[in-house]
């Protein structure tokens, strides 16, 4: 308990809230690093996942790659890149991007795959071009799952971005590493609490977003299905269309 | 006019869905493709708007091989009504109906105004315009599907078992509605069903298909009843039994038509 008192004392100390290396500055750095990582990882993983989900091709390699990346220990990757590239932001950003790609990729292809094949077929039959099928049908309908992937990636990034401080003077991890060094456990725990709070707040925002992006018509479907009782027909995802060929 | 010339479709897995088919589909008439499940009706239909490309032969619309036409352009000019309506679940009724006109670059306002008129045309209340497909009954969804198919005022309207998923009463209603519409609009309708009664009711020309994508007979309902091409057709249309095997009997000097079970079907007009 004493430790927590120390942590709260540290958090409450006005001296920690101003000047260089203050809590607000570290939070800003933490968010900035996380956002940077998210943007880079998204730019790589989302189009790739969308492509896999849209075409139904390359699913196996995608699963394998994300499984492989998931197995990499982030701290090890970070150390490796740290030794290779040197001190600074580059190594942690790369390590975090690697960490973030699997959930983003999985969310993107699962989201695109989840769209009813018959709906996609109908869109194509009406004369939508492939990009229009993606943008006007698959993306809006798959969005909740895609956002789910972004959400879990973000949570992991924010939690793991503490490691950036291991090798760069960035983020809330500084408090944890500094506290560890000086045996200031109040600072260490305080830093951890800040990371947790930050992660929870951001996750809450995503939870909300995830709800908002469910298309109104789809929400209507859910209530309609509730109305019609337990004989709820499940959408079959990822099956090839059996009526006709796909381009 | 739509013309199939020696058209074959073999899917990559080896299934021959359509085999060496020749049909001429006359303009401004309704042609019904009828046959049991898996006989290749949908495949044949979808070759008209290039949702399926034939592996042999040609499909021509007004003399032009569709293989030479950009599929997107082709599809935007052909109405297509699907089984289970195929509506976009995340779009309101009005936006579903206006989808293709919007794709073709019409202004939103014009497309919506026209979509509302189409709701009238297919007998839907305008108040449904702002609903989502999931908030409609099956019959209403099918009507929206028909409205969407008509939205670009296409010369050709493809309908794939459009009334398959609704109950018999609504189905009969929709059939009458389609007959009325066709009387007004005079489209080239290609209609798929596995219900021979529906085929005879709606079709000016009826194409009877059998397994393996073979055409048994293509003719008017009257001709098919009068001269079934073979025993398969005779059996399929039930020409020699039930309510189709009609006899004339004389009752009090009037000639009454009765079916195979002796039930009165009508009176011969003099
Ligand atoms: N994409 C595909 N790949 C392989 N075989 C297919 C494909 N689409 C259809 N087939 C096969 O081609 C045959 C004809 O199918 P089609 O969908 O045209 O039948 P249909 O007459 O429309 O049947 P239904 O009345 O059940 O809709 C069937 O044997 C079907 O299994
Ligand atoms: Mg079919």
């Amino acid at each position: 308990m004493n430790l927590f008192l120390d942590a709260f004392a540290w958090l409450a100390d006005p001296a920690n809230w101003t000047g260089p290396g203050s809590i607000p500055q570290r939070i800003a750095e933490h968010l900035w690093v996380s956002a940077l990582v998210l943007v880079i990882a998204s730019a790589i993983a989302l189009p790739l996942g969308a492509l896999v989900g849209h075409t139904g091709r390359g699913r196996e390699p995608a699963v394998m790659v994300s499984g492989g990346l998931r197995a990499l220990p982030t701290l090890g990757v970070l150390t490796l890149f740290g030794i290779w590239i040197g001190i600074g932001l580059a190594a942690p950003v790369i390590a975090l991007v690697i960490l973030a790609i699997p959930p983003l990729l999985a969310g993107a292809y699962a989201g695109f795959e989840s769209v009813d094949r018959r709906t996609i077929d109908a869109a194509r039959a009406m004369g939508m071009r492939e990009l229009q099928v993606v943008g006007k049908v698959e993306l809006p309908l798959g969005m909740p799952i895609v956002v789910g992937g972004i959400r879990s990636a973000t949570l992991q990034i924010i939690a793991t971005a503490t490691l950036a401080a291991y090798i760069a003077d960035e983020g809330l991890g500084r408090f944890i590493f500094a506290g560890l060094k000086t045996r200031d456990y109040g600072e260490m725990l305080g830093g951890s609490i800040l990371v947790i709070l930050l992660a929870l707040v951001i996750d809450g925002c995503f939870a909300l977003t995830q709800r908002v992006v469910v298309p109104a018509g789809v929400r209507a479907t859910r209530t309609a299905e509730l109305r019609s009782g337990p004989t709820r027909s499940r959408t079959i995802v990822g099956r090839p269309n059996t009526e006709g060929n796909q381009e | 006019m739509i013309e199939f010339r020696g058209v074959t479709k073999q899917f990559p897995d080896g299934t021959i869905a359509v085999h060496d088919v020749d049909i001429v589909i006359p303009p401004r008439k309704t042609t019904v493709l009828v046959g049991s499940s898996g006989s290749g009706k949908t495949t044949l239909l979808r070759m008209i708007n290039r949702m399926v490309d034939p592996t042999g032969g040609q499909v021509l619309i007004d003399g032009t091989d569709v293989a030479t036409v950009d599929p997107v352009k082709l599809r935007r000019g052909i109405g297509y009504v699907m089984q289970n309506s195929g509506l976009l679940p995340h779009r309101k009724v009005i936006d579903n109906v206006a989808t293709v006109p919007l794709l073709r670059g019409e202004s939103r306002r014009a497309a919506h105004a026209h979509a509302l008129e189409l709701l009238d045309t297919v007998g839907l209340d305008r108040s449904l315009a702002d609903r989502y497909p999931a908030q409609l009954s099956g019959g209403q969804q099918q009507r929206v599907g028909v409205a969407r198919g008509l939205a670009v005022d296409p010369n050709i309207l493809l309908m794939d078992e459009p009334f398959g998923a609704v109950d018999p009463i609504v189905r009969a209603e929709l059939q009458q509605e389609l007959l009325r519409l066709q009387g007004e609009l005079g489209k080239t309708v290609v209609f798929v069903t596995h219900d021979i009664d529906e085929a005879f009711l709606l079709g000016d020309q009826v194409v009877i298909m059998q397994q393996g994508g073979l055409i048994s007979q293509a003719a008017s309902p009257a001709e098919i009843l009068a001269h079934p091409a073979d025993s398969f057709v005779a059996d399929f249309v039930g020409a020699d039994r039930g309510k189709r095997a009609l006899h004339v009997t004389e009752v009090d000097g009037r000639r009454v038509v009765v079916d195979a079970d002796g039930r009165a079907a009508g009176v011969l007009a003099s």
Side-chain angles (χ1 to χ4, degrees):
Chain A
M1 264 353 273
N2 214 1
L3 218 53
F4 277 98
L5 287 181
D6 288 349
F8 286 123
W10 178 81
L11 282 172
D13 186 348
N16 291 332
W17 288 84
T18 49
S22 66
I23 291 171
Q25 186 202 323
R26 293 300 184 201
I27 290 178
E29 286 169 4
H30 204 95
L31 286 174
W32 149 245
V33 172
S34 302
L36 182 68
V37 169
L38 188 64
V39 166
I40 296 172
S42 297
I44 299 168
L46 294 185
L48 212 63
L51 194 72
V52 171
H54 174 72
T55 60
R57 267 172 236 155
R59 192 176 192 281
E60 248 115 80
V63 172
M64 255 163 55
V65 166
S66 44
L69 291 183
R70 239 188 265 264
L72 290 179
T74 304
L75 191 58
V77 174
L78 177 62
T79 312
L80 193 74
F81 278 106
I83 292 167
W84 187 20
I85 313 177
I87 303 295
L89 207 52
V93 166
I94 294 173
L96 290 170
V97 165
I98 290 174
L99 173 84
I101 282 177
L104 289 170
L105 195 64
Y109 73 60
F112 274 69
E113 256 181 14
S114 73
V115 182
D116 192 329
R117 295 292 113 181
R118 287 171 307 190
T119 305
I120 295 171
D121 185 74
R124 207 171 271 136
M126 275 187 293
M128 286 198 187
R129 299 192 180 281
E130 285 312 290
L131 272 181
Q132 290 172 324
V133 172
V134 171
K136 292 175 191 280
V137 180
E138 290 177 323
L139 193 59
L141 288 173
M143 198 52 131
I145 298 177
V146 177
V147 170
I150 299 175
R151 179 181 172 186
S152 69
T154 306
L155 200 60
Q156 289 187 41
I157 294 170
I158 289 181
T160 317
T162 44
L163 287 183
Y166 180 58
I167 215 163
D169 184 23
E170 298 279 349
L172 290 168
R174 286 309 305 158
F175 297 129
I176 298 174
F177 285 108
L180 188 65
K181 211 174 198 174
T182 58
R183 295 182 186 255
D184 182 347
Y185 297 123
E187 180 181 6
M188 212 177 144
L189 189 60
S192 311
I193 290 171
L194 287 174
V195 174
I196 293 167
L197 284 179
L198 195 63
L200 285 179
V201 168
I202 302 280
D203 196 51
C205 294
F206 269 104
L208 233 92
T209 314
Q210 217 174 348
R211 268 202 214 169
V212 172
V213 297
V214 175
V218 175
R219 225 169 298 155
T221 313
R222 287 184 190 159
T223 28
E225 278 170 353
L226 282 181
R227 247 190 353 224
S228 64
T231 53
R232 176 171 178 220
S233 65
R234 296 284 285 161
T235 308
I236 300 160
V237 299
R239 295 274 167 77
N241 170 32
T242 50
E243 299 213 82
N245 57 359
Q246 313 220 316
E247 292 151 301
Chain B
M1 186 172 76
I2 307 169
E3 206 177 333
F4 287 82
R5 280 197 198 149
V7 170
T8 295
K9 175 65 189 184
Q10 179 166 27
F11 283 105
D13 67 357
T15 314
I16 295 176
V18 170
H19 186 71
D20 196 17
V21 159
D22 294 291
I23 322 176
V24 174
I25 293 172
R28 304 184 147 268
K29 295 265 191 299
T30 301
T31 294
V32 180
L33 309 177
V34 61
S36 51
S37 192
S39 54
K41 308 179 294 291
T42 296
T43 308
L44 208 55
L45 187 80
R46 287 163 67 91
M47 286 200 249
I48 297 170
N49 65 355
R50 291 200 64 190
M51 287 301 285
V52 174
D53 285 322
T55 47
Q58 291 173 304
V59 181
L60 302 116
I61 296 179
D62 296 331
T64 310
D65 187 345
V66 293
T68 63
V69 184
D70 171 31
V72 168
K73 259 208 201 95
L74 183 73
R75 289 168 195 159
R76 288 183 188 175
I78 295 178
Y80 184 19
V81 184
M82 277 156 274
Q83 190 165 8
N84 299 314
S85 78
L87 299 176
L88 303 179
H90 58 301
R91 292 200 176 171
K92 290 179 178 168
V93 165
I94 184 119
D95 293 312
N96 262 289
V97 175
T99 302
V100 189
L102 287 174
L103 286 174
R104 300 222 294 196
E106 257 178 55
S107 78
R108 208 176 163 73
R109 173 189 283 249
H112 274 192
H114 185 214
L116 284 176
E117 286 168 20
L118 282 167
L119 292 185
D120 300 339
T121 307
V122 299
L124 278 175
D125 199 285
R126 287 186 177 211
S127 67
L128 299 179
D130 285 330
R131 295 236 193 133
Y132 288 99
Q135 297 166 325
L136 300 179
S137 72
Q140 289 168 332
Q141 288 183 20
Q142 285 314 125
R143 286 174 196 259
V144 177
V146 174
R148 183 177 68 178
L150 293 170
V152 288
D153 195 18
N155 292 324
I156 298 171
L157 187 60
L158 311 178
M159 308 182 85
D160 193 350
E161 302 197 33
F163 313 142
V166 295
D167 67 65
I169 294 170
V170 176
R171 173 182 261 238
E173 208 174 277
L174 290 169
Q175 288 168 343
Q176 290 308 321
E177 203 82 0
L178 182 64
L179 282 172
R180 174 185 66 80
L181 265 179
Q182 174 64 350
E184 285 169 18
L185 304 173
K187 306 282 183 197
T188 304
V189 176
V190 188
F191 191 104
V192 165
T193 179
H194 52 243
D195 176 355
I196 188 68
D197 293 328
E198 187 170 63
F200 280 177
L201 175 66
L202 299 176
D204 298 304
Q205 174 179 238
V206 172
V207 178
I208 297 179
M209 303 188 61
Q210 53 177 301
Q211 290 301 318
L214 295 165
I215 302 232
S216 299
Q217 189 168 11
S220 71
E223 276 173 76
I224 290 174
L225 281 174
H227 308 290
D230 51 32
S231 60
F232 172 81
V233 174
D235 192 45
F236 191 78
V237 303
D240 52 356
R241 59 167 199 271
K243 64 179 187 206
R244 291 212 203 286
L246 303 176
H247 306 276
V248 177
T249 59
E250 198 126 333
V251 178
D252 294 339
R254 296 209 61 185
R255 289 187 291 166
V256 176
V257 180
V258 295
D259 66 15
D261 302 325
R263 270 188 281 270
V267 188
L268 273 191
S270 44

